[in-house]
Amino acid sequence: MIPVALGISIITFITMYAAGDPISIIRLGKGNITPDTLEALRVYYGLDKPVPVQYINWIANVLQFNFGRSLRGGQPVNLIIGNWFWETVKLQLVSIVIALGISIPVGIMSARKQYSKQDVIVTSFSLFGVSMPTFWLGIILIIVFSFNLGWLPSGGSAGDPKLWWNNPVLDSIAHLIMPVTVLVYVQLAQNIRLIRANMLEILRSDYILAARASGISERKIVYKYALRNAIGPVITFLGISLGTIIAGAPMTEYVFSWPGLGRRFVQATTDLDFPVVMAITMIITVMALVANLIVDISYVYLDPRISIEKGK
Amino acid sequence: MATTETKETMKYKRRSASQWAVAWRRFRRNRAGLAGLVIVVFVFFVGAFGGFFAPYPARPDPNAYAPFYRSESKSPPSWKYMFGTSTGGTDVLSDVIHGTKYTLYVGILVTLITIAVAVVVGSIAGFYGGWVDNILMRTTEVFLVFPSLLFILVFVRVFTLTIGDPFWTIPLIGLRIPSGLTIVTLVLGAFNWASNARMVRGEFFRVRELEFVEAEKALGASNMRIIFKHILPNILSSLIVVTSLTIAYAILVEAAVSFLGFGDVNTVTWGQILQENWSETRNVWWAEVFPGLAILITVFGFNLLGDGLSDALNPRLRD
């Protein structure tokens, strides 16, 4: 886990460095900076030192939760990022929970009634889901519900004045509805396909046949014996894709002007604001890796065949 | 003598045709897969011959801005402008038609890179196993765990700083390719191979243990011969399925990258059209809806085709 995080940080650092000297990039189009000022800026940001030294300095600072200063405006990155981080976490958690809550029962239903009308609807819907550009669904929702019907806000995470009877909670819900719908829709398609495929395989296995033969109720078979095995791959997939889900969020956050890490990342990359880009990259990487770890641990509870002492 | 020979050749002929013929027969019965094939053929047709029937020429030809000169920018869909006109005063239908070839360019090139890297890495890891496998798979994991969209954005941004010419000319054939879009494509390919490399490796592990490979080894065949003549043909069907699904995926990601404003401004891809009209969505909804529909239908087509091929070529994997 730690080597992976280090590897990613090195790759990002080198890429950003390959773009050239950040100070001269910022200078483009601003002709009236004297060479002395440029030199002073380089020293201020520590860019006069060799790359490996810069990297080690950067890592040392990151370990103390100091991500340096933004090249645009010079504010400490930590100060800027804190709020954005929580906004992203809020958006992601809500959508992951809702997506799991919907996809598990639907996937099971779809698998139990394979090739029935409901199953065909569900499978074609999920194929349609994976074919739809995330951001485009967002655009359509905005056109319909914000511009035409005027029911929901088109962007942001909080309104001023507050929407829906001036209640801060309702206001925040009003802002969450559309971005969460988009994120849930994206995950639903993948989750349902996965759960359905697993359930189909497991429902055909011998131990389920044995359970049926001993007269256990269908309900208990599906939800107690089959589901427990079918859910494993979904959790693994969730762990692997958590990085992608967070990274998919830049699209959603950009469309809905959500003040989160993703939109900030797009902005910082456009501006070539390296410290902010590096900071967000690291935070997202660490979040993805921690999610992976949690998934690995939760596996022990889900699957008694795996135990921590024996290794894998 | 003669009779045995004809018998032999007949047997040979029937055998060589059978695998693909059987797959085709199975595919023909799959209505969803056929629908996908029709969509894909249609998209290729528009990509190849779109220039002949698009109402207006491609940008930067000044005639592309004809609606602007008639002060008919931002006009809603009508018989004159089927998809309406954009904020910049171009005909959205023409933009979409001209964008098709770029979409296919990205989709196919990304897929070629993906498959090439995935096969090389997957074969080496899967065939040799041991520490080679270990190193390659750890590297693959980095690519898998890390949210690739972030990397893609950073790389595209950094690399597009370096280009001067909007078009590159390939030396020997003299083909002109859009430089910015090619950079986007190369970066997409570089970040997309990981999961496919894992798939190839898995297949290698499966096929490597089969008896015929062991027999070939016992006969003293070289590693190269085993890999190219015996193992790769066995995973060809999986690769064909991956091709279709990867094209679909690449089209989606390119659209996303362009929409975020990291695309090539000199090539009007579908994502680029969405980006150009995004700030004016309230006034020109048609310029967002129709290019998006084009993406959706194309990607849906490739996905349907991929699923259909998967059912036809790997019947064991059928749900």
Side-chain angles (χ1 to χ4, degrees):
Chain A
M1 200 175 125
I2 291 164
V4 173
L6 272 182
I8 286 171
S9 73
I10 291 176
I11 295 175
T12 327
F13 201 86
I14 291 173
T15 323
M16 302 272 23
Y17 195 83
D21 177 10
I23 299 297
S24 21
I25 291 170
I26 290 179
R27 198 179 139 235
L28 289 177
K30 297 174 199 157
N32 49 0
I33 302 182
T34 61
D36 285 347
T37 323
L38 277 183
E39 205 43 55
L41 276 173
R42 278 204 189 95
V43 176
Y44 180 72
Y45 286 112
L47 295 166
D48 50 341
K49 301 189 181 71
V51 186
V53 177
Q54 282 186 39
Y55 176 74
I56 290 169
N57 281 344
W58 180 77
I59 280 285
N61 281 327
V62 166
L63 290 178
Q64 300 161 41
F65 294 102
N66 172 12
F67 288 105
R69 286 166 181 274
S70 162
L71 293 180
R72 309 265 156 171
Q75 288 162 292
V77 177
N78 304 32
L79 276 185
I80 322 177
I81 273 182
N83 281 330
W84 306 79
F85 177 75
W86 292 115
E87 290 292 346
T88 293
V89 170
K90 179 169 88 182
L91 187 62
Q92 291 302 336
L93 272 185
V94 173
S95 56
I96 288 175
V97 169
I98 295 180
L100 276 181
I102 298 176
S103 51
I104 292 176
V106 172
I108 292 175
M109 186 275 294
S110 188
R112 282 178 69 186
K113 302 181 179 163
Q114 195 187 5
Y115 299 132
S116 70
K117 219 175 241 160
Q118 293 107 308
D119 179 44
V120 172
I121 292 173
V122 167
T123 41
S124 29
F125 158 85
S126 38
L127 192 67
F128 206 67
V130 289
S131 309
M132 172 135 28
T134 328
F135 61 92
W136 186 69
L137 177 62
I139 296 174
I140 298 297
L141 288 180
I142 290 179
I143 292 175
V144 174
F145 292 101
S146 301
F147 294 163
N148 281 356
L149 297 171
W151 289 352
L152 293 167
S154 67
S157 69
D160 185 33
K162 302 215 176 321
L163 294 161
W164 294 7
W165 308 286
N166 211 7
N167 180 324
V169 179
L170 287 179
D171 175 66
S172 147
I173 291 176
H175 284 89
L176 272 171
I177 291 177
M178 286 200 296
V180 165
T181 310
V182 171
L183 288 173
V184 166
Y185 189 77
V186 177
Q187 294 172 56
L188 269 190
Q190 292 166 337
N191 286 355
I192 290 178
R193 274 164 83 99
L194 208 63
I195 294 177
R196 178 176 179 273
N198 281 317
M199 269 317 250
L200 279 176
E201 201 185 311
I202 287 165
L203 284 177
R204 272 186 217 144
S205 60
D206 291 344
Y207 82 98
I208 294 292
L209 190 67
R212 285 211 176 105
S214 39
I216 298 169
S217 75
E218 188 65 24
R219 208 188 155 76
K220 205 171 170 188
I221 290 175
V222 171
Y223 287 95
K224 188 159 180 217
Y225 299 110
L227 181 61
R228 196 166 171 172
N229 277 314
I231 203 87
V234 178
I235 303 274
T236 314
F237 179 74
L238 189 70
I240 291 178
S241 63
L242 204 89
T244 327
I245 295 175
I246 301 168
M251 302 307 307
T252 317
E253 291 186 358
Y254 179 83
V255 171
F256 291 103
S257 320
W258 188 264
L261 281 184
R263 194 169 72 111
R264 180 72 206 184
F265 183 88
V266 172
Q267 186 61 47
T269 313
T270 313
D271 291 347
L272 292 166
D273 191 346
F274 300 164
V276 177
V277 172
M278 291 295 298
I280 298 180
T281 313
M282 280 330 284
I283 292 176
I284 290 184
T285 309
V286 170
M287 273 168 79
L289 290 174
V290 168
N292 259 321
L293 188 71
I294 295 176
V295 164
D296 282 352
I297 295 171
S298 71
Y299 233 82
V300 179
Y301 294 98
L302 273 172
D303 191 341
R305 285 170 299 185
I306 298 171
S307 73
I308 298 176
E309 290 98 58
K310 282 181 206 156
K312 253 190 182 173
Chain B
M1 186 72 186
T3 45
T4 48
E5 206 177 281
T6 40
K7 245 185 205 165
E8 281 299 322
T9 43
M10 269 175 67
K11 211 163 118 200
Y12 181 71
K13 257 184 197 157
R14 208 190 312 143
R15 235 212 269 151
S16 71
S18 71
Q19 190 198 351
W20 301 107
V22 166
W24 167 242
R25 222 175 297 148
R26 229 181 276 131
F27 183 79
R28 231 171 20 186
R29 267 187 275 125
N30 184 339
R31 257 183 296 165
L34 276 182
L37 185 65
V38 170
I39 295 176
V40 167
V41 169
F42 175 71
V43 172
F44 270 98
F45 176 77
V46 174
F49 303 109
F52 296 112
F53 55 80
Y56 295 91
R59 295 185 233 168
D61 188 324
N63 286 333
Y65 297 94
F68 171 76
Y69 295 119
R70 290 180 214 138
S71 28
E72 286 173 332
S73 302
K74 303 183 195 175
S75 37
S78 60
W79 282 115
K80 196 168 168 194
Y81 308 115
M82 300 271 274
F83 288 2
T85 58
S86 67
T87 19
T90 55
D91 176 38
V92 176
L93 175 63
S94 306
D95 281 349
V96 170
I97 291 176
H98 294 304
T100 314
K101 58 176 179 295
Y102 295 127
T103 299
L104 291 174
Y105 174 72
V106 172
I108 292 170
L109 197 58
V110 168
T111 306
L112 287 181
I113 298 172
T114 304
I115 302 278
V117 179
V119 166
V120 171
V121 173
S123 316
I124 294 175
F127 190 79
Y128 292 102
W131 62 269
V132 183
D133 178 41
N134 230 325
I135 290 176
L136 287 175
M137 281 307 109
R138 290 296 89 76
T139 322
T140 312
E141 258 164 37
V142 174
F143 279 88
L144 271 183
V145 168
F146 191 78
S148 52
L149 185 66
L150 299 189
F151 258 158
I152 289 172
L153 292 183
V154 172
F155 273 71
V156 168
R157 182 76 181 87
V158 168
F159 286 139
T160 41
L161 279 178
T162 59
I163 47 169
D165 240 340
F167 286 92
W168 285 331
T169 312
I170 295 179
L172 285 173
I173 23 177
L175 193 68
R176 275 156 57 82
I177 51 171
S179 48
L181 194 65
T182 307
I183 287 180
V184 175
T185 309
L186 295 179
V187 174
L188 289 192
F191 283 99
N192 190 38
W193 55 269
S195 61
N196 296 322
R198 249 167 113 131
M199 187 274 292
V200 172
R201 169 180 170 268
E203 289 285 291
F204 255 81
F205 270 129
R206 185 178 65 81
V207 177
R208 195 178 64 166
E209 303 303 322
L210 296 179
E211 273 118 1
F212 76 92
V213 174
E214 207 172 314
E216 189 74 7
K217 261 187 203 155
L219 287 172
S222 69
N223 284 346
M224 284 299 133
R225 188 184 158 83
I226 297 178
I227 291 178
F228 283 103
K229 287 218 74 150
H230 297 282
I231 302 187
L232 278 180
N234 268 291
I235 65 174
L236 191 63
S237 57
S238 308
L239 283 180
I240 291 176
V241 175
V242 166
T243 305
S244 192
L245 300 179
T246 307
I247 293 179
Y249 174 79
I251 293 175
L252 278 183
V253 182
E254 189 279 326
V257 169
S258 294
F259 176 70
L260 287 178
F262 292 78
D264 182 354
V265 281
N266 298 309
T267 51
V268 188
T269 63
W270 293 339
Q272 198 69 36
I273 307 175
L274 293 173
Q275 157 66 23
E276 287 171 356
N277 297 292
W278 165 232
S279 54
E280 288 272 354
T281 309
R282 195 183 276 272
N283 306 318
V284 288
W285 58 264
W286 47 87
E288 297 289 311
V289 170
F290 293 114
L293 268 182
I295 300 172
L296 172 61
I297 293 170
T298 307
V299 174
F300 193 48
F302 277 107
N303 274 334
L304 281 177
L305 180 65
D307 274 15
L309 287 173
S310 161
D311 282 356
L313 292 167
N314 307 326
R316 280 172 301 125
L317 295 180
R318 267 193 83 160
D319 309 328

